[in-house]
Amino acid sequence: MNVSDVARRTGLPAKTIRYYEEIGLIAPHRAANGYRSFDDADMHRLAFLGRARALGFSIEDCRTLMALWDNRDRSSADVKQLAQGHLERIDRKMAELAQMRDTLAHLVETCHGDERPDCPILADLARGA
């Protein structure tokens, strides 16, 4: 299969597939003419990477996950530890976003939104400057 076939079947953009090859996450076979040739194993790796990225894992996390997936002697505890760390980062980010939302909602609520120049949103932003 060529890159456009694989892109269509995996749902990943061809540009992403080329990038994954460039950074060493995948290594498709190269024909004598230089064209990439993907096999079923490449398809599985790309599907794996697509799912991991959809869950927000970083490229380096994906590299580690791929190495763990390839290592049949791995401990599931290693995989769980990586996923747990990612989950904790997501939870922290969600808490930060919730706090941001609450602050902005309060500012929007206190702004009259009329013709007066007074605006608590701008006043709050100016406080941080």
Side-chain angles (χ1 to χ4, degrees):
M1 281 178 277
N2 64 30
V3 71
S4 60
D5 293 331
V6 173
R8 189 174 46 258
R9 292 179 67 182
T10 62
L12 294 172
K15 186 175 181 177
T16 299
I17 295 169
R18 288 187 204 95
Y19 174 68
Y20 288 167
E21 179 185 15
E22 181 182 317
I23 64 172
L25 286 175
I26 60 166
H29 303 285
R30 290 278 185 162
N33 61 7
Y35 289 120
R36 294 169 187 86
S37 175
F38 296 88
D39 59 21
D40 286 341
D42 296 318
M43 288 279 296
H44 288 293
R45 291 179 77 79
L46 286 164
F48 181 99
L49 288 166
R51 180 69 176 138
R53 294 293 287 156
L55 289 172
F57 283 101
S58 70
I59 292 293
E60 284 312 308
D61 284 346
C62 287
R63 191 178 305 283
T64 302
L65 286 167
M66 292 295 296
L68 288 166
W69 188 39
D70 289 339
N71 179 1
R72 299 305 300 163
D73 295 326
R74 71 181 173 270
S75 166
S76 66
D78 295 334
V79 181
K80 184 175 181 174
Q81 181 181 11
L82 180 71
Q84 184 66 43
H86 181 55
L87 184 59
E88 289 166 4
R89 288 187 297 279
I90 290 171
D91 287 342
R92 278 193 303 276
K93 186 65 170 178
M94 287 176 63
E96 291 169 7
L97 288 171
Q99 184 178 12
M100 231 189 294
R101 189 209 179 281
D102 291 348
T103 300
L104 188 56
H106 172 72
L107 292 171
V108 167
E109 185 179 305
T110 58
C111 181
H112 293 281
D114 55 18
E115 301 303 317
R116 293 183 284 181
D118 299 354
C119 179
I121 299 168
L122 293 177
D124 185 80
L125 294 173
R127 242 187 321 169

